[in-house]
Amino acid sequence: MTRMTTLFAILCRKALSCLVVGFISVSSLNVHAADYTGPLFDAHLHYNTEAWNGKTGPHPVPDVLARMQRSGVKAIVSNSRPNDGTIALALARAETAAAGVAVVPFVRLYRNRADYNSWFRDETIFDMVLAELARGTPVGPYRGIGEFHLYDNANANGAVAKKLMVLAEEKQLVVLAHVDDAAIDLLMANTPTQGQKLRLIWAHTGIGGTPIKRVEELMAKYPGLVGELSYRPGLTCDAGSLCPEWRALMLKYPERFLIGSDTWINQRWQSYEDTMRGYRVWLGDLPPAVAKKIAWDNGAALFGIN
Ligand SMILES: [Zn+2]
């Protein structure tokens, strides 16, 4: 707003009449009708052992479900280190039904923290994924794999990473990947269709600040690429409103974005409702139909939730 106002002030030195035009233009950028109030699909949720290890912990199942309910979250992509956390949520069928929350289970690739740095070449991880897929969950089959991280994008070509991308495309499992833009290309290239059929949720849509033009280019290149927006630098501007270039990209690709909590540490559980409230603010900057797609419809369509 400040930069725009300065720009118009400079332009208007030469013609007084443009002051009025400038004022109208700047104001229209900041229209915020109302916060989005509809349902939310949390497409990036962890229920890790620190939150609740099945016995004790600060955030047992009733606690996390109450947070979702108070936030208007009606469905979650759940994954956890180890996978027991997701199983615990899936087992609590009466509680999740009472809270109105649908659980979409993903197989996480991490049994422990050490696995973050070696999963892409560790055959025992591949075996673990196959065993989990065969076992399934109390709410049905796993629907995806991840979240996984690649701190060095070259590891997208690790033997196990390659096999998992082929498996995901063949079994129609959705991938949840915390990677950079170069790794998106590498992961996609490792599927039988060069990524044309892989459905990949890009956790944070470039947490390192991938330029928006590059995000747009990847969206155009891969029809199954969907951007999840937690922690995305540059997404919001003044008072939590949506930055104009992101708004433009969402209007161009309304079906390709999701929101998520990323409860990777317990503090994220403690601020869960604030996180969701923050989404509701910038979703309110979009046309209502687009806001609802990003908040709910896109996740619901991806996993066939009503
Ligand atoms: Zn995460």
Side-chain angles (χ1 to χ4, degrees):
M1 171 95 180
T2 313
R3 243 182 304 162
M4 290 296 290
T5 308
T6 310
L7 177 66
F8 280 110
I10 292 165
L11 291 173
C12 291
R13 270 184 208 153
K14 291 191 177 167
L16 199 61
S17 59
C18 74
L19 274 172
V20 178
V21 177
F23 178 75
I24 291 164
S25 301
V26 170
S27 300
S28 66
L29 285 175
N30 288 278
V31 167
H32 180 84
D35 292 356
Y36 170 78
T37 56
L40 295 175
F41 193 115
D42 180 350
H44 181 166
L45 179 144
H46 305 291
Y47 195 39
N48 289 333
T49 188
E50 299 87 359
W52 192 49
N53 60 11
K55 302 181 197 81
T56 56
H59 302 294
V61 169
D63 174 85
V64 296
L65 287 176
R67 288 171 196 273
M68 293 171 211
Q69 198 170 14
R70 287 197 294 269
S71 304
V73 168
K74 304 287 186 192
I76 56 170
V77 162
S78 175
N79 68 101
S80 60
R81 164 182 45 77
N83 286 303
D84 309 31
T86 293
I87 297 295
L89 279 171
L91 262 175
R93 298 190 72 165
E95 291 89 340
T96 53
V101 175
V103 177
V104 178
F106 272 36
V107 184
R108 198 150 200 210
L109 307 186
Y110 308 146
R111 300 157 297 196
N112 50 53
R113 284 213 169 266
D115 287 337
Y116 281 58
N117 300 312
S118 55
W119 67 269
F120 40 85
R121 58 167 173 263
D122 185 342
E123 291 292 339
T124 68
I125 295 289
F126 190 68
D127 294 342
M128 183 267 281
V129 171
L130 293 182
E132 286 291 339
L133 292 176
R135 182 168 74 133
T137 83
V139 290
Y142 284 100
R143 307 296 306 278
I145 56 173
E147 182 194 25
F148 62 74
H149 301 73
L150 286 172
Y151 300 115
D152 176 353
N153 55 42
N155 290 326
N157 286 330
V160 169
K162 281 186 173 179
K163 288 205 294 191
L164 284 170
M165 290 310 105
V166 173
L167 181 78
E169 193 175 88
E170 285 178 353
K171 303 259 182 215
Q172 298 187 315
L173 296 165
V174 177
V175 171
L176 176 58
H178 172 138
V179 298
D180 65 12
D181 56 309
I184 294 288
D185 276 326
L186 294 171
L187 291 169
M188 293 292 195
N190 287 333
T191 79
T193 67
Q194 281 76 49
Q196 290 306 297
K197 290 200 175 147
L198 185 68
R199 294 175 303 162
L200 189 150
I201 301 173
W202 188 6
H204 320 298
T205 319
I207 200 165
T210 305
I212 200 154
K213 276 275 158 219
R214 175 71 172 137
V215 174
E216 189 172 359
E217 185 186 304
L218 291 169
M219 288 282 165
K221 194 168 172 188
Y222 304 112
L225 180 66
V226 184
E228 182 276 319
L229 295 160
S230 60
Y231 286 106
R232 167 65 218 200
L235 181 71
T236 55
C237 288
D238 300 340
S241 65
L242 194 56
C243 294
E245 62 272 29
W246 275 98
R247 187 174 187 276
L249 188 62
M250 288 174 190
L251 293 180
K252 183 169 180 183
Y253 289 110
E255 271 136 34
R256 307 286 291 280
F257 290 100
L258 300 165
I259 57 106
S261 60
D262 193 12
T263 45
W264 65 287
I265 47 174
N266 285 343
Q267 281 154 298
R268 293 287 286 182
W269 278 117
Q270 284 140 31
S271 58
Y272 191 88
E273 289 136 281
D274 288 338
T275 303
M276 293 302 156
R277 215 171 291 128
Y279 285 130
R280 290 185 182 282
V281 171
W282 67 249
L283 284 166
D285 294 329
L286 291 161
V290 176
K292 181 151 182 289
K293 278 179 194 284
I294 294 169
W296 173 260
D297 295 347
N298 295 344
L302 195 53
F303 300 105
I305 308 264
N306 296 314

